[in-house]
Short mmCIF file of all heavy atoms in Angstrom, two decimals:
data_model
loop_
_atom_site.label_atom_id
_atom_site.label_comp_id
_atom_site.label_asym_id
_atom_site.label_seq_id
_atom_site.Cartn_x
_atom_site.Cartn_y
_atom_site.Cartn_z
N GLU A 296 0.83 -1.18 0.00
CA GLU A 296 0.00 0.00 0.00
C GLU A 296 0.88 1.25 0.00
O GLU A 296 1.75 1.39 0.86
CB GLU A 296 -0.91 0.01 1.23
CG GLU A 296 -1.81 1.21 1.31
CD GLU A 296 -2.65 1.24 2.56
OE1 GLU A 296 -2.17 0.77 3.62
OE2 GLU A 296 -3.79 1.73 2.50
N VAL A 297 0.63 2.13 -0.95
CA VAL A 297 1.37 3.38 -1.02
C VAL A 297 0.94 4.29 0.11
O VAL A 297 -0.26 4.50 0.33
CB VAL A 297 1.15 4.08 -2.37
CG1 VAL A 297 1.79 5.46 -2.37
CG2 VAL A 297 1.71 3.22 -3.50
N GLN A 298 1.92 4.83 0.83
CA GLN A 298 1.64 5.77 1.90
C GLN A 298 2.61 6.94 1.83
O GLN A 298 3.81 6.75 1.59
CB GLN A 298 1.76 5.12 3.28
CG GLN A 298 0.71 4.08 3.58
CD GLN A 298 0.76 3.64 5.02
OE1 GLN A 298 0.22 4.30 5.91
NE2 GLN A 298 1.43 2.53 5.25
N LEU A 299 2.08 8.14 2.02
CA LEU A 299 2.87 9.36 2.09
C LEU A 299 2.45 10.08 3.36
O LEU A 299 1.33 10.57 3.46
CB LEU A 299 2.63 10.24 0.87
CG LEU A 299 2.97 9.62 -0.49
CD1 LEU A 299 2.50 10.52 -1.63
CD2 LEU A 299 4.48 9.39 -0.61
N VAL A 300 3.34 10.12 4.34
CA VAL A 300 3.04 10.67 5.65
C VAL A 300 3.84 11.94 5.85
O VAL A 300 5.06 11.91 5.89
CB VAL A 300 3.34 9.66 6.76
CG1 VAL A 300 3.00 10.26 8.13
CG2 VAL A 300 2.55 8.37 6.54
N GLN A 301 3.12 13.05 6.02
CA GLN A 301 3.75 14.35 6.10
C GLN A 301 3.94 14.82 7.54
O GLN A 301 3.19 14.45 8.44
CB GLN A 301 2.91 15.39 5.35
CG GLN A 301 2.76 15.09 3.88
CD GLN A 301 1.90 16.11 3.17
OE1 GLN A 301 1.02 15.76 2.40
NE2 GLN A 301 2.15 17.39 3.43
N SER A 302 4.91 15.70 7.72
CA SER A 302 5.15 16.34 9.00
C SER A 302 5.87 17.66 8.77
O SER A 302 6.38 17.92 7.68
CB SER A 302 5.98 15.45 9.92
OG SER A 302 7.25 15.17 9.37
N GLY A 303 5.89 18.51 9.80
CA GLY A 303 6.68 19.73 9.75
C GLY A 303 5.94 21.03 9.55
O GLY A 303 6.57 22.09 9.52
N GLY A 304 4.63 20.99 9.41
CA GLY A 304 3.88 22.22 9.26
C GLY A 304 3.77 22.99 10.56
O GLY A 304 4.23 22.54 11.61
N GLY A 305 3.16 24.17 10.47
CA GLY A 305 2.98 24.96 11.67
C GLY A 305 2.82 26.43 11.38
O GLY A 305 2.65 26.85 10.24
N LEU A 306 2.89 27.22 12.44
CA LEU A 306 2.77 28.67 12.37
C LEU A 306 4.14 29.31 12.39
O LEU A 306 4.99 28.96 13.22
CB LEU A 306 1.95 29.17 13.56
CG LEU A 306 1.80 30.68 13.73
CD1 LEU A 306 1.01 31.28 12.57
CD2 LEU A 306 1.12 30.98 15.06
N VAL A 307 4.36 30.26 11.48
CA VAL A 307 5.64 30.94 11.40
C VAL A 307 5.41 32.41 11.05
O VAL A 307 4.44 32.74 10.37
CB VAL A 307 6.57 30.25 10.38
CG1 VAL A 307 5.99 30.35 8.97
CG2 VAL A 307 7.97 30.82 10.43
N GLN A 308 6.29 33.28 11.51
CA GLN A 308 6.19 34.70 11.20
C GLN A 308 6.70 35.00 9.80
O GLN A 308 7.53 34.26 9.27
CB GLN A 308 6.98 35.52 12.22
CG GLN A 308 6.42 35.46 13.63
CD GLN A 308 7.18 36.34 14.59
OE1 GLN A 308 8.23 36.87 14.28
NE2 GLN A 308 6.62 36.52 15.77
N PRO A 309 6.21 36.08 9.18
CA PRO A 309 6.74 36.47 7.88
C PRO A 309 8.26 36.61 7.92
O PRO A 309 8.82 37.15 8.88
CB PRO A 309 6.07 37.82 7.61
CG PRO A 309 4.79 37.73 8.37
CD PRO A 309 5.13 36.96 9.62
N GLY A 310 8.91 36.10 6.89
CA GLY A 310 10.36 36.10 6.83
C GLY A 310 11.00 34.89 7.45
O GLY A 310 12.21 34.69 7.31
N GLY A 311 10.21 34.08 8.12
CA GLY A 311 10.73 32.90 8.78
C GLY A 311 10.92 31.72 7.85
O GLY A 311 10.68 31.81 6.65
N SER A 312 11.35 30.62 8.43
CA SER A 312 11.64 29.40 7.67
C SER A 312 10.94 28.20 8.28
O SER A 312 10.64 28.17 9.48
CB SER A 312 13.15 29.14 7.65
OG SER A 312 13.85 30.20 7.02
N LEU A 313 10.72 27.22 7.45
CA LEU A 313 10.07 25.99 7.88
C LEU A 313 10.49 24.87 6.94
O LEU A 313 10.69 25.11 5.75
CB LEU A 313 8.56 26.18 7.85
CG LEU A 313 7.67 25.30 8.73
CD1 LEU A 313 7.99 25.50 10.21
CD2 LEU A 313 6.21 25.62 8.46
N ARG A 314 10.60 23.66 7.47
CA ARG A 314 10.92 22.51 6.64
C ARG A 314 9.83 21.46 6.75
O ARG A 314 9.48 21.03 7.85
CB ARG A 314 12.26 21.89 7.04
CG ARG A 314 12.68 20.72 6.14
CD ARG A 314 14.06 20.20 6.47
NE ARG A 314 14.09 19.54 7.77
CZ ARG A 314 15.17 18.97 8.30
NH1 ARG A 314 16.32 18.99 7.63
NH2 ARG A 314 15.11 18.41 9.49
N LEU A 315 9.31 21.04 5.61
CA LEU A 315 8.32 19.99 5.55
C LEU A 315 8.97 18.68 5.16
O LEU A 315 9.92 18.66 4.38
CB LEU A 315 7.23 20.33 4.53
CG LEU A 315 6.53 21.68 4.68
CD1 LEU A 315 5.45 21.81 3.62
CD2 LEU A 315 5.95 21.85 6.08
N SER A 316 8.44 17.59 5.68
CA SER A 316 8.94 16.27 5.35
C SER A 316 7.80 15.38 4.88
O SER A 316 6.64 15.57 5.28
CB SER A 316 9.60 15.61 6.57
OG SER A 316 10.73 16.34 7.00
N CYS A 317 8.13 14.41 4.06
CA CYS A 317 7.15 13.46 3.53
C CYS A 317 7.81 12.09 3.50
O CYS A 317 8.72 11.86 2.69
CB CYS A 317 6.69 13.90 2.14
SG CYS A 317 5.60 12.74 1.30
N ALA A 318 7.38 11.20 4.36
CA ALA A 318 7.93 9.85 4.44
C ALA A 318 7.12 8.91 3.57
O ALA A 318 5.91 8.77 3.76
CB ALA A 318 7.94 9.37 5.89
N ALA A 319 7.78 8.26 2.63
CA ALA A 319 7.10 7.41 1.65
C ALA A 319 7.32 5.94 1.93
O ALA A 319 8.37 5.52 2.42
CB ALA A 319 7.59 7.73 0.24
N SER A 320 6.32 5.13 1.59
CA SER A 320 6.44 3.68 1.70
C SER A 320 5.47 3.03 0.73
O SER A 320 4.56 3.67 0.23
CB SER A 320 6.18 3.21 3.14
OG SER A 320 4.86 3.54 3.55
N GLY A 321 5.66 1.74 0.47
CA GLY A 321 4.76 0.99 -0.39
C GLY A 321 5.10 1.02 -1.86
O GLY A 321 4.35 0.45 -2.67
N PHE A 322 6.19 1.66 -2.22
CA PHE A 322 6.66 1.68 -3.61
C PHE A 322 8.15 1.96 -3.61
O PHE A 322 8.72 2.34 -2.58
CB PHE A 322 5.89 2.70 -4.46
CG PHE A 322 6.12 4.13 -4.06
CD1 PHE A 322 6.97 4.95 -4.79
CD2 PHE A 322 5.46 4.68 -2.96
CE1 PHE A 322 7.18 6.28 -4.43
CE2 PHE A 322 5.65 6.00 -2.59
CZ PHE A 322 6.51 6.80 -3.33
N THR A 323 8.77 1.76 -4.76
CA THR A 323 10.20 2.02 -4.88
C THR A 323 10.41 3.52 -5.05
O THR A 323 10.40 4.05 -6.16
CB THR A 323 10.81 1.23 -6.04
OG1 THR A 323 10.51 -0.16 -5.88
CG2 THR A 323 12.33 1.40 -6.06
N PHE A 324 10.61 4.18 -3.93
CA PHE A 324 10.68 5.64 -3.89
C PHE A 324 11.71 6.20 -4.87
O PHE A 324 11.45 7.20 -5.55
CB PHE A 324 11.00 6.06 -2.45
CG PHE A 324 11.12 7.54 -2.23
CD1 PHE A 324 9.99 8.34 -2.19
CD2 PHE A 324 12.36 8.12 -2.03
CE1 PHE A 324 10.09 9.70 -1.97
CE2 PHE A 324 12.48 9.49 -1.80
CZ PHE A 324 11.34 10.27 -1.77
N SER A 325 12.85 5.56 -4.95
CA SER A 325 13.95 6.08 -5.76
C SER A 325 13.67 6.04 -7.27
O SER A 325 14.44 6.62 -8.04
CB SER A 325 15.24 5.32 -5.46
OG SER A 325 15.09 3.94 -5.75
N ASN A 326 12.60 5.38 -7.69
CA ASN A 326 12.27 5.29 -9.11
C ASN A 326 11.30 6.36 -9.60
O ASN A 326 11.01 6.42 -10.79
CB ASN A 326 11.65 3.92 -9.43
CG ASN A 326 12.67 2.81 -9.45
OD1 ASN A 326 13.88 3.04 -9.41
ND2 ASN A 326 12.20 1.57 -9.51
N TYR A 327 10.81 7.21 -8.70
CA TYR A 327 9.74 8.12 -9.07
C TYR A 327 10.04 9.57 -8.74
O TYR A 327 10.63 9.89 -7.69
CB TYR A 327 8.43 7.72 -8.38
CG TYR A 327 7.88 6.42 -8.89
CD1 TYR A 327 8.23 5.22 -8.30
CD2 TYR A 327 7.03 6.40 -10.00
CE1 TYR A 327 7.74 4.02 -8.78
CE2 TYR A 327 6.54 5.21 -10.49
CZ TYR A 327 6.90 4.02 -9.88
OH TYR A 327 6.41 2.84 -10.36
N ALA A 328 9.61 10.45 -9.63
CA ALA A 328 9.61 11.87 -9.33
C ALA A 328 8.57 12.16 -8.24
O ALA A 328 7.57 11.45 -8.12
CB ALA A 328 9.28 12.68 -10.59
N MET A 329 8.82 13.19 -7.47
CA MET A 329 7.92 13.59 -6.39
C MET A 329 7.67 15.09 -6.47
O MET A 329 8.44 15.84 -7.08
CB MET A 329 8.52 13.24 -5.03
CG MET A 329 8.71 11.76 -4.77
SD MET A 329 7.13 10.86 -4.59
CE MET A 329 6.49 11.60 -3.08
N SER A 330 6.60 15.53 -5.81
CA SER A 330 6.21 16.93 -5.91
C SER A 330 5.62 17.44 -4.61
O SER A 330 5.21 16.67 -3.73
CB SER A 330 5.20 17.12 -7.04
OG SER A 330 3.98 16.46 -6.74
N TRP A 331 5.58 18.77 -4.52
CA TRP A 331 4.83 19.47 -3.48
C TRP A 331 3.77 20.33 -4.16
O TRP A 331 4.05 21.02 -5.15
CB TRP A 331 5.74 20.36 -2.63
CG TRP A 331 6.67 19.60 -1.74
CD1 TRP A 331 7.97 19.29 -1.97
CD2 TRP A 331 6.35 19.04 -0.46
NE1 TRP A 331 8.50 18.59 -0.92
CE2 TRP A 331 7.53 18.41 0.02
CE3 TRP A 331 5.20 19.01 0.33
CZ2 TRP A 331 7.58 17.76 1.26
CZ3 TRP A 331 5.25 18.36 1.56
CH2 TRP A 331 6.42 17.75 2.01
N VAL A 332 2.57 20.27 -3.62
CA VAL A 332 1.43 21.01 -4.13
C VAL A 332 0.76 21.70 -2.95
O VAL A 332 0.76 21.15 -1.84
CB VAL A 332 0.43 20.07 -4.84
CG1 VAL A 332 -0.73 20.85 -5.45
CG2 VAL A 332 1.14 19.25 -5.92
N ARG A 333 0.19 22.87 -3.16
CA ARG A 333 -0.46 23.56 -2.05
C ARG A 333 -1.84 24.08 -2.45
O ARG A 333 -2.14 24.24 -3.63
CB ARG A 333 0.39 24.72 -1.54
CG ARG A 333 0.55 25.89 -2.50
CD ARG A 333 1.52 26.92 -1.94
NE ARG A 333 1.67 28.08 -2.81
CZ ARG A 333 2.52 29.07 -2.61
NH1 ARG A 333 3.33 29.04 -1.54
NH2 ARG A 333 2.58 30.08 -3.46
N GLN A 334 -2.66 24.34 -1.44
CA GLN A 334 -3.99 24.88 -1.66
C GLN A 334 -4.26 25.94 -0.60
O GLN A 334 -4.41 25.63 0.58
CB GLN A 334 -5.05 23.78 -1.60
CG GLN A 334 -6.43 24.26 -1.96
CD GLN A 334 -7.40 23.12 -2.19
OE1 GLN A 334 -8.26 23.20 -3.07
NE2 GLN A 334 -7.28 22.06 -1.42
N ALA A 335 -4.32 27.19 -1.03
CA ALA A 335 -4.63 28.29 -0.15
C ALA A 335 -6.13 28.32 0.12
O ALA A 335 -6.92 27.78 -0.66
CB ALA A 335 -4.18 29.61 -0.76
#
């Protein structure tokens, strides 16, 4: 089963920094392109 489990979001002030992570399983991760998409 393909799973993508995210972490690292939160509240930050303008000008600040944040790092998001996405842990993948259930497929050969190294064989596929990956992306980040957002929805305001």
